[in-house]
Structure formats: structure tokens, C-alpha cells
Amino acid sequence: MKITVLGFYGPFPGPYGATSGYIVEEGDTHILLDCGSGVISRYQRYYDLNDLKYVILSHLHSDHMSDMLVLRYALDILKSRGTINDPVNVYCPATPENVLEELKFKDVFKIHTISEETALNIGGIEISFKKMNHPVETYAVKMKKDDKIFVYSADTVYTEDLVDFAKGADLLLCDANFLSGMQGPHMTAAEAAEVAKKSGSKRLILTHLSPLMSLKDYYAEAKTLFENTEIARDFEVYVI
């Protein structure tokens, strides 16, 4: 599998940045994982919008799905021109219901709601979900191909559920919006490192980072606890 970072900021982007969005590729299949502000522009550096078939949204907060609301217009135009015929498959939580309703636009998306019981196989990638602790319904995402495992925490406070879910991950892409001493609905860099350490993950990528804080501070805090730590970077590609 190959994971490309389209945006890593949260809850709003820094200059020239974008919020949460990643492309996961395996063979001829690719999946857009989260679709925050600025992501659709960056997606088109790699693929034409006609090529988009699968989107997974970890939750329906704007910094993870706001570009879906402009993507729907693009798909409607492409549909009217006859360049696409089928709706894009979107896998996302069922709540908040008012946000989900915004995605039901002229049938450009085929909505599939997810839960912890959801099990997908897209292009040979086995995908499962684990509910996290966040103000809205939110799911961590695990993608497995053969013996390779990629886990995306989405947004959450520290929870042992994530430790269990991420067991043996080759790559853990983890929320680290806060630094130690801060409190709120996200993990600190140190807590992300603890999840990586306890889960036996091989590699930790810190993401959902605030543009108001130093990337060096995030890195320093996590690396003291987990050596194989990196900071998510725009357009960085990770291969597992």
C-alpha cells in the first residue's frame, strides 16, 4: 500500500496548507481517506475527478469533509457532460444527520453508513472500523493488504481501544493535535507516541496538527517516547 498526504492540518489549515485528506493506493485501486478543506484541489495533482470511485470519511466534522460539499458540484457537472455515469461510493458515519443530508445531492454520491460491524474489501484491501472518543460519531480506520497493516486514528482522545485496534500496524497515522498539558477532544503528541509504543506499531506519523504550534515541538514530544516518529508533510508518500 501507498499513502499520500494531501493535508494534515486541523481544525483549520495554515498558509498554503489543507486539512485532513489522504490517498491510499494499492495496485489499480485508490481510496480518498477524508476530504477536508483544500483536499480536492490537491487530489487532482494525482488523479482526474473522473477517476474517483471511493471515499471514506472518518467523521463528519468540516475539517475532514468540507471539500465534499464542493466535490458534489464538480461531479454533477461531470455527470451532465457524460464523463461519469456512476455515483462515487462514500463510506461515512450516519451522524450528525444534518451534515449527512448535505451529501445527498443529485445522486452524485452513493452513501454507505459505517459502524464497528462494517467490513469492506476494496481492490483487495480489507477495511475495518473502530469507534473513537470524539464529540461526533468517529471511526478509526484499519486497512490490511496481505500482511501489511495501515491504521488511521481519525480524531480522538487517548483510548485503549485505539491501542488494541492498531496492534502490529506497519504505519500508524495518528491524531496529535495537542501538546502535553493541553486538554480537549484530541490526543497529545506524547499520547500518540504511547499508542504507537503499546500497540507495537512499526512507524508513527503525527497528523491533524495545529498551524498555531511548532512542528518541531510535536516531533520532539513524541520522539522521546517512540523513536520511529515522523511529522506528516504535504505530498509525502509512505509505502508499506
Side-chain angles (χ1 to χ4, degrees):
M1 280 183 289
K2 183 169 72 173
I3 296 93
T4 302
V5 177
L6 300 182
F8 65 86
Y9 282 114
F12 62 94
Y16 311 108
T19 58
S20 297
Y22 315 90
I23 299 173
V24 181
E25 297 170 276
E26 173 60 37
D28 295 331
T29 300
H30 76 274
I31 301 165
L32 181 59
L33 177 59
D34 278 348
C35 188
S37 60
V39 166
I40 290 305
S41 172
R42 291 175 167 206
Y43 170 86
Q44 291 173 89
R45 296 188 181 204
Y46 300 90
Y47 290 101
D48 190 281
L49 290 178
N50 293 291
D51 300 323
L52 183 59
K53 303 291 187 262
Y54 307 101
V55 178
I56 294 175
L57 302 176
S58 63
H59 63 296
L60 299 181
H61 271 163
S62 295
D63 54 334
H64 293 257
M65 57 72 62
S66 62
D67 260 20
M68 296 293 288
L69 303 182
V70 292
L71 174 62
R72 61 185 181 170
Y73 298 143
L75 295 177
D76 183 45
I77 293 168
L78 294 174
K79 185 177 178 183
S80 70
R81 293 184 176 185
T83 61
I84 61 170
N85 297 309
D86 299 323
V88 173
N89 291 283
V90 178
Y91 303 88
C92 65
T95 62
E97 293 179 1
N98 64 311
V99 182
L100 186 65
E101 284 299 313
E102 288 289 304
L103 298 179
K104 297 175 182 178
F105 178 81
K106 297 187 178 181
D107 297 321
V108 297
F109 299 129
K110 185 175 183 180
I111 307 295
H112 311 265
T113 57
I114 59 175
S115 69
E116 289 190 334
E117 286 69 48
T118 302
L120 307 175
N121 189 311
I122 298 175
I125 304 173
E126 299 174 18
I127 305 171
S128 56
F129 302 90
K130 187 69 177 178
K131 193 171 185 180
M132 293 289 99
N133 189 342
H134 200 53
V136 299
E137 186 181 3
T138 302
Y139 293 93
V141 182
K142 181 187 293 182
M143 298 188 179
K144 184 176 180 182
K145 174 65 177 177
D146 298 328
D147 62 345
K148 299 298 184 181
I149 299 173
F150 164 59
V151 174
Y152 172 48
S153 72
D155 291 2
T156 185
V157 297
Y158 179 88
T159 169
E160 290 291 327
D161 285 342
L162 179 58
V163 173
D164 292 338
F165 191 62
K167 289 288 186 187
D170 293 277
L171 181 67
L172 172 61
L173 182 63
C174 197
D175 174 17
N177 191 242
F178 291 159
L179 294 171
S180 290
M182 300 175 67
Q183 293 184 339
H186 298 280
M187 281 189 287
T188 66
E191 287 171 330
E194 182 148 346
V195 170
K197 186 175 182 179
K198 283 187 173 181
S199 66
S201 295
K202 297 179 179 65
R203 191 176 183 187
L204 171 65
I205 311 297
L206 303 179
T207 194
H208 202 269
L209 307 178
S210 170
L212 301 178
M213 292 191 279
S214 166
L215 298 181
K216 291 181 180 179
D217 290 344
Y218 283 120
Y219 177 73
E221 179 170 301
K223 193 171 176 63
T224 59
L225 295 172
F226 190 79
E227 177 66 25
N228 200 9
T229 294
E230 300 172 53
I231 297 289
R233 302 281 186 181
D234 288 332
F235 313 114
E236 192 73 34
V237 178
Y238 306 101
V239 178
I240 59 172

